[in-house]
Amino acid sequence: MPSAPASPSTARAINDRLALRLLQDEGPLTAAELKRLTGLSRPTVADLVERLQGAGLVRIVGESGAERRGPNARVYGLVADRAHLAALDVRLRGVTVTVTDLLGGPLAEAAAPIGGDTETGPAVERAVALLERTVREAGATRLHTVGIGAPGLVDPVTGALRDSAGLPAWHRRLVTALRERLSATVLVENETNLAATAELREGAARDRDTFVLLWLGHGVGAAVVLDGALRRGASGGAGEIGFLPVPGTGALPSATDCAGGFHALAGSAAVRELAQAYGIEAGGPDDEGEPAGASVVRAARERPVRRDGTHGAADPADGGPAGRWRADGRVGDGPGDAAGAFLDALAERVALGAAAVTAVLDPGCVVLGGELGQAGGAALAERVEARLATLSPLRTEVRASTLGGAAVLRGALLTARDAAQDELFGGSAATAH
């Protein structure tokens, strides 16, 4: 049975939403460009532009410079300052904040450490003060939507950050405090899921609608994207791969401790310890900021410099690992190559987690995310892919993250931007007339 045609008001809402999305994706456009991209008639485009201007969503931002007779065509763009957004990346010992306009254009960004010995109340107040200060620096008076990325489980029904063993209490209290104090919509999502959102939209998985992000940072995690949508699981715990039992840890994880699971093989502290066995040392402690594991992975990939300033084989007298280094700056695979052997051993560990994921989901692509995944680059990704091919009959491409640790904050911002635009673009212009 054929469906009934859309009502005039519904048709206007659909057309307005289409035009707004084009202005978001393409940038400012003339009416003629909107006509061409939407396929709508000239009078229909003229009507929708008038509606969107009246609703305060679109304004004239310039004139077309195209050579033609008559006056220049007006160029229309979204009103970026119609709303302001904030995104927070909440880590174990600190928080990073960014404030943007409605289009995601950055206005201010700041970060603050929060020590592990800080009490819950002062920790919450420090994070809230950082957000308030950043909002003022951005010149915003109020926030429309706030996106928060944090470790741990997010209840898929209530959207609340659940109490998780080993995570600071101030994380949950911060979310509650922001919802109580702000008039803005406050959204919270698992950090690895947000990283996957960013990699899907702007990073290493832009050409994929099905993939798994394997997060390698201070801890480990996974995010599952199937047919372009995040899959969170019945309780929001899909991807808690740190608890995956794997060989080589000498123990089993428990419901409250992932120390005997995959985390014990691929978390930053474990990677740093592995690197030490190959004579590769980290530059600093495994604290907040860049994980020490990322530092040693990057050190293994970097091409050494001889005393004369030229690049080539490492000289043990210079403190570098012995062995061959390839001309492209990636470590070689010859015997005695300590850096290459370390990356091989690390790839062996990472492939264990990837093999478990691929056996269940067959995603076709695994992105090595987080600071360690980005630091490993193609050198690590290629090794993991090769090892994975020996463990699983399912062909799986392995890619390195292009966003690294910044993916969480970017994913939180994209989530906030989508929610704000869904509300502001959701038909208000069509019903204004």
Side-chain angles (χ1 to χ4, degrees), residues 86-395:
L88 285 77
D89 180 2
V90 179
R91 301 291 180 104
L92 292 178
R93 303 181 188 88
V95 59
T96 301
V97 176
T98 186
V99 177
T100 76
D101 59 29
L102 179 60
L103 303 186
L107 299 175
E109 185 169 323
I114 298 178
D117 57 349
T118 306
E119 296 293 332
T120 298
V124 170
E125 293 306 317
R126 187 174 301 175
V128 172
L130 178 70
L131 174 60
E132 292 174 342
R133 183 169 64 252
T134 308
V135 170
R136 289 194 299 270
E137 292 174 357
T141 55
R142 64 179 295 272
L143 294 172
H144 183 282
T145 307
V146 178
I148 303 174
L153 304 181
V154 177
D155 190 298
V157 177
T158 66
L161 187 63
R162 292 168 54 184
D163 187 12
S164 301
L167 295 179
W170 67 265
H171 284 191
R172 295 180 66 234
R173 288 279 298 275
L174 173 62
V175 174
T176 301
L178 292 178
R179 285 174 171 163
E180 291 174 348
R181 300 185 194 186
L182 300 178
S183 60
T185 299
V186 177
L187 307 172
V188 61
E189 179 61 274
N190 172 267
E191 59 180 357
T192 307
N193 286 343
L194 290 178
T197 296
E199 295 287 358
L200 174 67
R201 301 268 291 273
E202 300 178 351
R206 281 175 295 179
D207 61 338
R208 308 284 307 202
D209 62 1
T210 294
F211 72 99
V212 167
L213 175 77
L214 196 58
W215 180 267
L216 304 172
H218 286 283
V220 298
V224 179
V225 177
L226 302 178
D227 299 323
L230 274 171
R231 306 297 178 179
R232 298 174 177 85
S235 63
E240 288 294 320
I241 199 171
F243 288 88
L244 178 72
V246 289
T249 64
L252 289 174
S254 70
T256 58
D257 189 357
C258 61
F262 183 59
H263 173 85
L265 287 184
S268 177
V271 173
R272 180 182 187 180
E273 184 177 348
L274 177 66
Q276 289 173 339
Y278 289 88
I280 303 170
E281 297 290 340
D286 193 26
D287 207 339
E288 204 61 32
E290 182 178 69
S295 299
V296 295
V297 171
R298 182 175 295 106
R301 285 186 56 237
E302 286 178 349
R303 181 172 44 181
V305 181
R306 295 194 189 104
R307 291 177 178 177
D308 61 3
T310 61
H311 294 280
D315 181 357
D318 290 330
R324 294 187 302 106
W325 293 73
R326 288 163 40 164
D328 61 4
R330 284 158 45 198
V331 294
D333 300 308
D337 176 7
F342 160 65
L343 290 177
D344 287 340
L346 177 58
E348 178 89 15
R349 293 184 174 194
V350 174
L352 289 175
V357 169
T358 58
V360 175
L361 298 174
D362 187 20
C365 178
V366 171
V367 175
L368 303 184
E371 295 88 350
L372 275 72
Q374 186 182 45
L380 179 60
E382 290 169 4
R383 284 169 161 83
V384 174
E385 182 174 329
R387 181 57 180 141
L388 183 57
T390 70
L391 298 175
S392 171
L394 306 175
R395 180 175 176 82

